[in-house]
Amino acid sequence: MGQGGESRRVRSSDGELGVAVARAQQGDEDAFAVAYRIVQPGLLGYLRGLVGAEAEDVASDAWLEIARDLGRFRGDGAGFRGWTATIARHRALDHLRRQKVRPRASELEQDMFDLPSAQSTDDQALESLGTQYALELLSTLPRDQAEAVLLRVVVGLDGPAAGRVLGKRPGAVRTAAYRGLKRLALRLDTEGVTEDGPRTLGESG
């Protein structure tokens, strides 16, 4: 599952997503469920990179806001992906700020990209990103590179959309994602990982 294959899969579902969102905005609950099923795996993978084991809770908060503000959204399927990622990121950052105010004895006391152990991850998020090993490798990247990789590879956003989520120029996000992927590929190569690992995050596709 290389980045190119993942991106093509995301793009192929954007048409269906756009139709579902338009219907959901007219009150079609089944269409909202379709949009949720398309977007949630990538969104959950992204959030797992930000908040670890609390990703499900943060995703739930994000979807409450998405449902509440759906009528204000304007755009197509790809735009909806970026819009939901922006909302999820805000909820994740709020969550991390609260944890600093009320620290708990958990992995949330660690840095933003310290990820939980394999036992606390779920298969759906890992399918989006690849292997648990690749997810752990993301924690070794600088924060800007890790988040750029998550948005580009896991959520499936292009450079401009990822830039809007992060409040950065598209070129800066593309560069950060490229550097992050190169660093992951080098790590995977030097550690002699099998073909299953590097093809997930190591391809610049």
Side-chain angles (χ1 to χ4, degrees):
M1 185 176 67
Q3 183 189 359
E6 182 72 17
S7 299
R8 279 191 293 276
R9 254 202 314 284
V10 165
R11 282 195 295 272
S12 70
S13 67
D14 277 345
E16 181 188 358
L17 179 57
V19 171
V21 170
R23 289 178 177 164
Q25 287 180 311
Q26 295 166 2
D28 186 333
E29 291 182 11
D30 289 339
F32 186 82
V34 169
Y36 173 88
R37 281 196 300 273
I38 293 172
V39 171
Q40 173 69 352
L43 206 63
L44 192 60
Y46 175 50
L47 287 171
R48 189 155 308 270
L50 298 180
V51 300
E54 302 293 320
E56 292 272 5
D57 290 342
V58 174
S60 295
D61 289 343
W63 278 104
L64 286 173
E65 184 173 340
I66 290 163
R68 185 193 70 202
D69 294 343
L70 185 63
R72 296 212 298 261
F73 170 73
R74 296 290 177 270
D76 57 8
F80 185 74
R81 237 180 252 283
W83 183 67
T84 57
T86 300
I87 290 173
R89 184 173 193 264
H90 289 159
R91 296 287 68 76
L93 295 178
D94 286 346
H95 176 82
L96 291 168
R97 277 191 289 270
R98 285 196 301 273
Q99 293 306 317
K100 284 195 165 77
V101 174
R102 301 192 306 274
R104 288 167 24 192
S106 75
E107 61 262 34
L108 293 170
E109 294 181 61
Q110 300 169 12
D111 189 70
M112 189 172 175
F113 282 102
D114 276 356
L115 299 176
S117 65
Q119 287 83 1
S120 60
T121 57
D122 64 68
D123 291 339
Q124 187 178 26
L126 293 181
E127 280 174 11
S128 300
L129 189 57
T131 65
Q132 171 64 15
Y133 181 65
L135 189 59
E136 287 169 355
L137 278 183
L138 269 178
S139 70
T140 68
L141 296 179
R143 189 172 297 185
D144 66 325
Q145 292 180 15
E147 197 165 0
V149 170
L150 285 164
L151 285 171
R152 295 295 305 276
V153 178
V154 180
V155 182
L157 301 184
D158 61 14
R164 284 191 292 275
V165 173
L166 297 174
K168 296 182 177 179
R169 288 176 290 104
V173 176
R174 276 194 294 267
T175 299
Y178 174 77
R179 287 177 177 163
L181 289 167
K182 288 290 276 187
R183 287 178 73 152
L184 290 174
L186 285 171
R187 281 289 299 274
L188 292 164
D189 286 344
T190 57
E191 294 177 21
V193 178
T194 61
E195 287 287 302
D196 294 338
R199 302 190 87 76
T200 301
L201 292 173
E203 292 181 353
S204 55

